[in-house]
Amino acid sequence: MTELLVEIENLKKYFPLTGGVFRKVVGKVHAVDDVSLDIREGETVGIVGESGCGKTTLGRTVLRLLNPTDGKIHFQGRDITELKGTALREIRRQMQIVFQDPMASLDPRVTIKNSVGEPLIVNKIARGPLLRNKVLELLQAVGLNEDHLNRFPHEFSGGQRQRICIARALALNPKFVVMDEPTSSTDVSVQAQTLNLMKDLQKDFKLTYMFISHNLSVVKHMSDRIAVMYLGKILELTPYDIFKTSKHPYTFALVSAVPVPDPRFAGRAQILKGEVPSPINPPTGCRFHPRCIFAQEKCKLEEPELRDVGDGHLVACHFAGELDFGKSAQMEYAQAVSSS
């Protein structure tokens, strides 16, 4: 059995809200609220959910780009929650991120050779001819060549820029990489190339991924396990096909909203009613109960635990396994999504 690489324990990240003349704290945004998650070496854990659910904040907090409000983060068995200065910089060599917008990640005035080579220079690994050779090796690993070394970011397509960002993330040979919506700015054909590239790089560089995305099909393709987030919490964590084995009402609503190119299933998506509650004042009990068609009084009063319902499938629902999502139409729909 592979060893644990990242252990997240009861992690919280709140952003203070200030108001008034003296800018006093008048509230908090509960961006990540009591999340626990283990990630093993070599696996890919997908994080999905609606916009604003806390996916990106979770990834950045795990990397200590944001300081956690509470909880613990262990990397290779070492508590990195309170690390600062040189100790934190050393750990960050092993933990990297690929941001959603590659154009915003690259300095438009700096050549690709210098952008990709900057981590090598800062960490005093390479300079001069050795730096050029190492950068060229990284670019070749992501499908680019020597002609691209002295070009600027605006001379590349969106897919190529994302490859450059991936090359830079790999410069220090990290063990853990957070992929934050890495294919959201590319078309479908380029998405497929980028996803296959990331799978190949994972094998070649022995990487562990946290893969954040809105696209359930992409997450299914990439991930060994999938965590579904809603309003700062994980509602479901499954090692199985999310399209066929979802047990939380929110997960099933996400699955049923995926478009299928088949007119037989027109209008069968389960459309969620209402708006996502405010993360400043989240609801009591189950976070999802104001929008859940199966909610009962217990859901409003008691927060459900993220419990194992069998074979490592975790669900935060009082009635997990007891709910009927509509086995004729909806389950047929979900299976059609999975096979499309």
Side-chain angles (χ1 to χ4, degrees), residues 47-59 181 212-214 229:
I47 311 291
V48 299
E50 293 174 284
S51 295
C53 72
K55 305 185 299 297
T56 295
T57 302
L58 173 62
E181 304 262 12
I212 299 169
S213 180
H214 288 93
M229 287 191 69

Side-chain angles (χ1 to χ4, degrees), residues 19-36:
V21 176
F22 298 103
R23 310 301 295 171
K24 291 184 178 180
V25 176
V26 296
K28 297 177 181 178
V29 177
H30 297 67
V32 175
D33 203 356
D34 200 18
V35 167
S36 296

Side-chain angles (χ1 to χ4, degrees), residues 91-103:
I91 285 292
R92 280 184 172 156
R93 292 180 61 170
Q94 303 296 317
M95 308 169 74
Q96 295 292 318
I97 185 170
V98 176
F99 293 101
Q100 178 175 354
D101 185 356
M103 194 60 186

